[in-house]
């Protein structure tokens, strides 16, 4: 609105008047702009800020089922946090979260990049096959998780059947403490590859073909082309893919809970499943410590999330 | 060379999609063959018992998921479309800060939102209700929807909106009869994702609707796994049915899906 007025008032005589009109026009423009934003602001306050506030409040009080419903839970300060830090589950859960996240990321990214490089030169069927690769990412997580559960079943699973065909002994994928974490990592890698493939593929496509042609003229071989051109030019997209993957992997809960419930005996418990188990997984819920674990998870996710936003902003400016 | 690449591509795709094939294969396997070693690699002597069980027991769950999915799409668009228009074209003061908040909101783990919602819903009577689940599921989609729609809408040529203003259309009129129709593709993209996320949601369903009379299909499968560990053909048949929306999405809207993934990750 202010644009029309600005261009429509070139005459010097009209300047004083147009200044007044412009400022009132701008003000009514601001009113309209915020009227359109009002629903989302209200939404964010009610359905984001308020639940998060309740979550912080939960973590600072000692709740029982009774006081949860009726109110009046005593203030506990950082007692729940102290309890969580002192818990025997804390160390292993932190370690599992780190291993789960890093191993998943490395393989999702590595496989995704290899596939993106494979698909970037078109060949017959390439578009169709690339589309099919999206399937694991689009399936509901409960579907993927329950399919993997049955595939990894110790007695009747197809994975152990294939292993025995190769002459390898059966592995208790989901029921042995040594393997449970690796089983959920394998399933999570499978789910995450498509996302990495799609994003890295679009990053590869953005590299101009001219650069490769020039390198070919200069006699660069395939390996040189990868390390000297593709790798450096793909670094911005890679950084964003990895950081976003990090934030998303930290909060993975469904797959682990459906496949192992964090067990056996806590062998695949991460912060996300631990928080859920404390709050919802037992007959007697401990909301306070559960919320405390959840808030620790938020801090971790947001720390990396802010790094992501910084990197993205810097790239947008560059 | 190119044909050789096609062969490798088909093999890689087959490896990647093996779990999906296995889900379909098991859904047709007879109970008596379920624990056979080695398993049947193809559904010879197949049975439709699993699918019969789905028709008998899972239809109400599927209905609830459909309602929750459509409700989530409606709520998401209602909140997100005006906001995106404002951020893209009306230059609100503080709009940048709001975009930042939305970006951060996307990163909050669902399990934490679930605990906060549980406390609130318990006191307001929304626990174990379909509207409650729709509200919770929409939080998965609203920030994404605003950011994606704003990105697309900022590409609408300024001349188009000015022409509308010259013809005397107000902001609301411009939004309804110019901006919305022009943004059809991005609205489809956002709707597809919102539906799929609500349809697939397990975290909110299992925390906020555990004791509800109307439960979504994700809980239907979850109860199946917990209760009758033996009938894996029925579990996998339900899983196949639950995957139908994802498949439909891929077939009819593949380019929107790829656009949504990359827009969410690379642009802001």
């Amino acid at each position: 609105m202010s644009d029309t007025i600005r261009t429509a008032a070139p005459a010097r005589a009209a300047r004083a008047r147009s200044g007044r009109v412009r400022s009132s026009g701008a003000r009514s423009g601001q009113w309209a702009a915020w009227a359109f934003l009002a629903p989302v602001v209200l939404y964010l306050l009610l359905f984001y800020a308020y639940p998060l506030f309740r979550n912080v409040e939960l973590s600072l009080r000692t709740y029982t089922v009774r006081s949860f419903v009726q109110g009046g839970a005593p203030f506990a300060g950082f007692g729940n946090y102290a309890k969580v830090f002192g818990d025997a589950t804390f160390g292993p859960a932190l370690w599992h979260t780190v291993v789960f996240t890093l191993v998943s990321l490395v393989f999702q990214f590595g496989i995704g990049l290899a596939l993106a490089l494979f698909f970037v030169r078109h060949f017959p069927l390439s578009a169709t096959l690339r589309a099919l690769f999206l399937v694991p990412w689009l399936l509901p997580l409960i579907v993927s998780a329950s399919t993997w559960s049955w595939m990894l079943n110790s007695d009747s699973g197809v994975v152990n059947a294939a292993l025995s065909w190769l002459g390898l002994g059966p592995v208790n994928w989901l029921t042995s403490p040594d393997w449970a974490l690796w089983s959920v990592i394998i399933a999570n890698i499978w789910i995450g590859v498509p996302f990495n493939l799609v994003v890295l593929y679009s990053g590869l496509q953005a590299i101009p073909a001219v650069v490769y042609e020039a390198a070919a003229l200069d006699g660069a071989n395939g390996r040189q082309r990868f390390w000297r051109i593709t790798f450096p030019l793909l670094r911005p997209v890679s950084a964003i893919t990895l950081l976003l993957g990090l934030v998303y992997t930290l909060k993975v809960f469904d797959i682990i809970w459906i496949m192992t419930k964090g067990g056996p005996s806590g062998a695949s418990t991460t912060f996300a499943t631990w928080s859920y188990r404390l709050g919802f997984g037992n007959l007697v819920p401990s909301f306070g410590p559960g919320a405390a674990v959840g808030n620790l998870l938020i801090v971790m996710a947001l720390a990396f999330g802010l790094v992501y936003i910084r990197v993205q902003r810097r790239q947008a400016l560059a | 060379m190119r044909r050789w690449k096609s062969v490798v591509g088909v093999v890689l795709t087959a490896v990647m999609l093996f779990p999906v094939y296995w889900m379909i294969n098991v859904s047709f396997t007879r109970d008596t063959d379920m624990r056979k070693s080695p398993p049947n690699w193809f559904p010879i002597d197949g049975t439709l018992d699993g699918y019969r069980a789905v028709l008998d027991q899972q239809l109400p769950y599927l209905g609830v998921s459909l309602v929750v999915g459509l409700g989530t799409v409606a709520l998401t668009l209602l909140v997100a479309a005006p906001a995106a228009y404002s951020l893209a074209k009306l230059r609100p003061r503080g709009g940048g800060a709001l975009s930042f908040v939305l970006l951060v909101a996307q990163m909050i783990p669902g399990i934490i939102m679930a605990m906060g919602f549980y406390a609130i819903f318990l006191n307001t009577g929304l626990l174990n209700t379909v509207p409650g689940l729709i509200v919770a599921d929409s939080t998965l989609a609203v920030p994404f929807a605003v950011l994606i729609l704003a990105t697309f809408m900022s590409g609408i040529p300024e001349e188009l909106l000015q022409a509308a203003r010259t013809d005397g259309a107000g902001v609301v009129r411009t939004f309804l009869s110019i901006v919305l129709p022009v943004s059809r593709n991005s609205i489809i993209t956002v709707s597809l994702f919102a539906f799929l996320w609500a349809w697939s949601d397990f975290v909110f369903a299992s925390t906020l609707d555990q004791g509800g009379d109307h439960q979504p299909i994700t809980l239907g499968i979850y109860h199946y796994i917990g209760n009758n560990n033996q009938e894996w053909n029925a579990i996998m048949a339900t899983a196949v049915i639950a995957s139908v929306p994802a498949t439909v999405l891929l077939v009819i809207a593949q380019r929107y899906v790829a656009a949504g993934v990359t827009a969410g990750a690379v642009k802001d």
Side-chain angles (χ1 to χ4, degrees):
Chain A
M1 195 169 274
S2 56
D3 266 352
T4 359
I5 292 161
R6 200 175 302 156
T7 46
R12 193 201 288 178
R15 186 170 282 166
R17 191 162 48 89
S18 101
R20 194 149 33 88
V21 172
R22 192 199 297 178
S23 73
S24 82
R27 200 173 305 141
S28 84
Q30 282 299 315
W31 272 107
W34 277 96
F36 274 87
L37 285 180
V40 88
V41 171
L42 199 67
Y43 180 92
L44 286 172
L45 288 175
L46 271 179
F47 302 134
Y48 265 98
Y50 187 45
L52 287 176
F53 166 76
R54 280 306 303 263
N55 202 55
V56 171
E57 203 206 356
L58 280 178
S59 74
L60 295 178
R61 290 176 188 274
T62 311
Y63 274 95
T64 59
V65 177
R66 194 190 159 86
S67 60
F68 199 72
V69 179
Q70 297 175 342
F75 189 75
F78 288 96
N80 287 321
Y81 289 90
K83 206 182 287 174
V84 162
F85 277 114
D87 197 294
T89 314
F90 183 84
L94 180 63
W95 174 241
H96 297 153
T97 307
V98 170
V99 171
F100 180 84
T101 307
L102 288 186
V103 176
S104 293
L105 268 187
V106 166
F107 281 93
Q108 285 173 356
F109 182 81
I111 299 172
L113 180 59
L115 287 168
L117 286 167
F118 177 77
F119 277 110
V120 78
R121 295 285 178 78
H122 291 277
F123 54 86
L125 284 180
S126 65
T128 314
L129 295 179
R130 201 158 40 79
L132 285 173
F133 261 87
L134 281 173
V135 168
W137 185 72
L138 291 174
L139 290 183
L141 287 174
I142 184 136
V143 167
S144 318
S146 49
T147 302
W148 276 98
S149 294
W150 184 241
M151 285 173 58
L152 294 173
N153 185 286
S154 298
D155 305 318
S156 322
V158 65
V159 175
N160 274 352
L163 284 180
S164 82
W165 187 66
L166 290 172
L168 297 168
V171 175
N172 290 323
W173 293 101
L174 299 172
T175 48
S176 128
D178 298 331
W179 286 101
L181 186 62
W182 297 105
S183 304
V184 293
I185 288 176
I186 291 171
N188 189 52
I189 291 171
W190 183 74
I191 291 162
V193 162
F195 172 78
N196 284 265
L197 165 61
V198 172
V199 178
L200 292 170
Y201 175 84
S202 76
L204 282 177
Q205 276 192 316
I207 301 176
V210 193
V211 186
Y212 286 106
E213 282 158 21
L217 281 180
D218 290 345
N221 61 28
R223 178 187 288 188
Q224 282 170 329
R225 282 204 295 269
F226 178 78
W227 287 113
R228 300 275 170 80
I229 300 173
T230 312
F231 194 71
L233 287 181
L234 200 61
R235 210 157 51 189
V237 178
S238 303
I240 279 186
T241 315
L242 281 171
L243 280 166
L244 211 57
L246 189 65
V247 175
Y248 287 158
T249 313
L250 270 179
K251 61 180 189 183
V252 166
F253 154 77
D254 315 43
I255 308 159
I256 304 179
W257 188 258
I258 294 159
M259 286 179 71
T260 66
K261 287 199 160 59
S265 59
S268 54
T269 294
T270 62
F271 272 16
T273 64
W274 188 24
S275 170
Y276 182 90
R277 200 182 66 213
L278 286 168
F280 301 101
N282 298 323
L283 281 176
V284 183
S286 25
F287 295 110
V293 174
N295 288 330
L296 292 179
L297 190 62
I298 279 202
V299 171
M300 285 160 76
L302 287 190
F304 290 114
L306 292 178
V307 176
Y308 159 76
I309 292 171
R310 244 188 94 109
V311 170
Q312 200 197 34
R313 287 273 156 88
R314 212 163 45 202
Q315 285 174 13
L317 292 176
Chain B
M1 175 66 184
R2 276 156 57 91
R3 188 168 303 160
W4 172 83
K5 271 195 101 169
S6 295
V7 174
V8 176
V10 169
V11 172
L12 288 174
T13 314
V15 171
M16 187 70 179
L17 293 189
F18 179 78
V20 180
Y21 167 72
W22 201 247
M23 163 177 83
I24 297 167
N25 183 26
V26 172
S27 75
F28 288 115
T29 305
R30 290 183 304 187
D31 283 336
T32 42
D33 294 340
M34 201 59 78
R35 304 243 166 215
K36 214 171 101 181
S37 176
N40 286 339
W41 292 89
F42 304 99
I44 34 165
D45 308 324
T47 172
L48 287 173
D49 285 352
Y51 290 88
R52 266 181 221 116
V54 175
L55 286 179
D56 282 350
Q57 299 157 21
Q58 300 287 337
L59 281 184
Y61 292 102
L62 288 166
V64 171
S65 279
L66 195 66
V67 171
V68 170
L70 294 176
T72 304
V73 170
L75 179 57
T76 303
L77 289 182
L78 213 63
V79 174
Y85 170 52
S86 176
L87 287 177
K89 290 293 177 195
L90 301 180
R91 286 178 233 145
R93 234 167 266 136
L98 188 67
S99 302
F100 180 79
V101 168
L102 289 166
L103 212 54
V104 171
Q106 269 187 302
M107 295 165 177
I108 297 166
I111 177 72
I112 287 139
M113 296 294 291
M115 213 167 284
F117 272 126
Y118 186 83
I120 296 169
F121 283 7
L122 194 68
N123 295 334
T124 51
L126 278 173
L127 201 63
N128 298 327
T129 65
V130 169
L133 197 54
I134 291 177
V135 163
D137 281 350
S138 71
T139 62
L140 299 169
V142 164
F144 169 83
V146 177
L147 295 173
I148 295 290
L149 288 174
T151 309
F152 280 86
M153 284 178 185
S154 60
I156 298 175
E158 203 61 48
E159 295 78 24
L160 198 62
L161 304 183
Q162 277 194 21
R165 277 183 219 118
T166 322
D167 289 348
V171 208
V172 177
R173 186 71 193 282
T174 312
F175 172 64
L176 290 178
S177 43
I178 309 277
V179 175
L180 282 185
V182 168
S183 322
R184 201 189 58 215
N185 285 357
S186 54
I187 289 176
I188 294 176
T189 309
V190 163
S191 307
L192 289 169
F193 275 97
F195 183 85
L196 194 64
W197 287 334
W199 178 274
S200 313
D201 160 70
F202 172 74
V203 178
F204 289 133
S206 78
T207 49
L208 306 175
D209 197 17
Q210 218 166 17
D213 295 330
H214 305 288
Q215 299 188 347
I217 188 65
T218 47
L219 284 189
I221 298 178
Y222 190 60
H223 295 324
Y224 247 169
I225 303 175
N227 294 340
N228 53 355
N229 250 324
Q230 306 308 312
E231 290 176 29
W232 274 89
N233 52 15
I235 297 174
M236 288 293 108
T238 320
V240 170
I241 306 276
S243 312
V244 166
T247 318
V248 171
L249 199 104
L250 194 68
V251 172
I252 63 167
Q254 184 215 325
R255 66 203 167 93
Y256 300 134
V257 173
V261 179
T262 42
V266 183
K267 294 175 193 160
D268 66 71

